[in-house]
Amino acid sequence: QQQVKQSPQSLIVQKGGISIINCAYENTAFDYFPWYQQFPGKGPALLIAIRPDVSEKKEGRFTISFNKSAKQFSLHIMDSQPGDSATYFCAASEETSGSRLTFGEGTQLTVNP
Amino acid sequence: DAGVIQSPRHEVTEMGQEVTLRCKPISGHNSLFWYRQTMMRGLELLIYFNNNVPIDDSGMPEDRFSAKMPNASFSTLKIQPSEPRDSAVYFCASSFGLGAAYEQYFGPGTRLTVT
């Protein structure tokens, strides 16, 4: 059962553009929403995370927007760079489930120079 | 600092053979996770340990899969007998504590091919 739906599956943007990746979840008990970045041949690495008590979190060029009522959250990459080309995964977890993360399907981002 | 270490990095085996994947977590971390990544199913949590004790193995697909953590610095994931549908990249991750907010650090993965 897929509890976190991610879109788009792939995304191509030009250098300097904004990359936007969206996720939607079903389980209203989810209370932690991280984004992971994965380069080819590497394991995923935590990029940024948010809790539902805030609507936005920004770290450098990366921003998470969170809409609790719509059960949606998104990753915005401002001034996208070729080095941002990677696969991005959203995830969700509920504190009572311990450390279990449910991942989205992933978005392959390509930033053209 | 050494990150999570996995071995082997690549494994090719024939159907029916036993496969053992190994993981050394980051020193000081007390939680360890095994994930499987495929194109069809994405990234799935198989099992995780806290203080060497299995906490949640609900993601282990079937009895052919088993995982152990005999001490704080070593874990194995075993598949016996292996099948072609087990072909995937298997990741080990570790974290400093138990709880989703503790960052999970992933290893480089083991790419398993079962022919």
Side-chain angles (χ1 to χ4, degrees):
Chain A
Q1 179 185 3
Q2 180 58 258
Q3 295 186 7
V4 179
K5 301 290 288 183
Q6 183 172 346
S7 63
Q9 187 174 8
S10 62
L11 180 63
I12 300 174
V13 301
Q14 293 299 119
K15 178 182 176 181
I18 302 174
S19 303
I20 302 175
I21 305 171
N22 301 298
C23 283
Y25 62 96
E26 301 168 2
N27 186 350
T28 55
F30 284 150
D31 55 9
Y32 178 71
F33 303 89
W35 284 89
Y36 279 78
Q37 179 187 55
Q38 183 179 25
F39 292 104
K42 305 290 186 182
L46 180 65
L47 185 62
I48 186 173
I50 196 169
R51 289 198 178 273
D53 54 345
V54 297
S55 61
E56 185 176 283
K57 182 174 182 179
K58 183 177 181 179
E59 290 184 3
R61 296 184 294 108
F62 300 90
T63 299
I64 300 179
S65 297
F66 185 82
N67 186 329
K68 187 174 181 178
S69 61
K71 293 186 289 186
Q72 295 176 349
F73 59 110
S74 60
L75 176 69
H76 296 233
I77 306 174
M78 311 299 289
D79 187 26
S80 299
Q81 300 297 312
D84 297 330
S85 298
T87 300
Y88 293 82
F89 294 91
C90 63
S93 176
E94 55 179 300
E95 198 64 39
T96 55
S97 74
S99 295
R100 170 170 287 279
L101 287 171
T102 299
F103 284 86
E105 300 95 329
T107 296
Q108 187 169 348
L109 171 65
T110 301
V111 181
N112 289 326
Chain B
D1 288 343
V4 174
I5 298 172
Q6 292 187 246
S7 64
R9 294 294 311 277
H10 301 273
E11 178 79 33
V12 180
T13 191
E14 292 184 347
M15 181 175 62
Q17 297 298 306
E18 176 180 296
V19 176
T20 300
L21 311 181
R22 298 173 174 79
C23 175
K24 176 178 170 58
I26 293 173
S27 177
H29 284 190
N30 65 3
S31 296
L32 182 139
F33 309 80
W34 282 102
Y35 288 89
R36 178 173 66 178
Q37 185 175 40
T38 62
M39 289 296 292
M40 289 296 294
R41 300 179 65 88
L43 197 59
E44 304 173 280
L45 177 65
L46 300 178
I47 184 171
Y48 70 90
F49 297 81
N50 180 249
N51 292 325
N52 312 335
V53 176
I55 302 299
D56 183 349
D57 65 355
S58 60
M60 295 287 265
E62 48 198 278
D63 292 345
R64 297 185 297 106
F65 285 70
S66 63
K68 294 182 179 180
M69 191 164 187
N71 57 63
S73 59
F74 184 66
S75 177
T76 60
L77 179 66
K78 184 176 295 186
I79 308 173
Q80 166 63 16
S82 58
E83 297 182 2
R85 59 193 170 119
D86 301 331
S87 297
V89 180
Y90 290 82
F91 289 102
C92 176
S94 68
S95 67
F96 185 69
L98 186 64
Y102 286 96
E103 180 176 352
Q104 295 182 24
Y105 293 81
F106 283 73
T110 294
R111 181 174 295 278
L112 173 65
T113 303
V114 183
T115 61

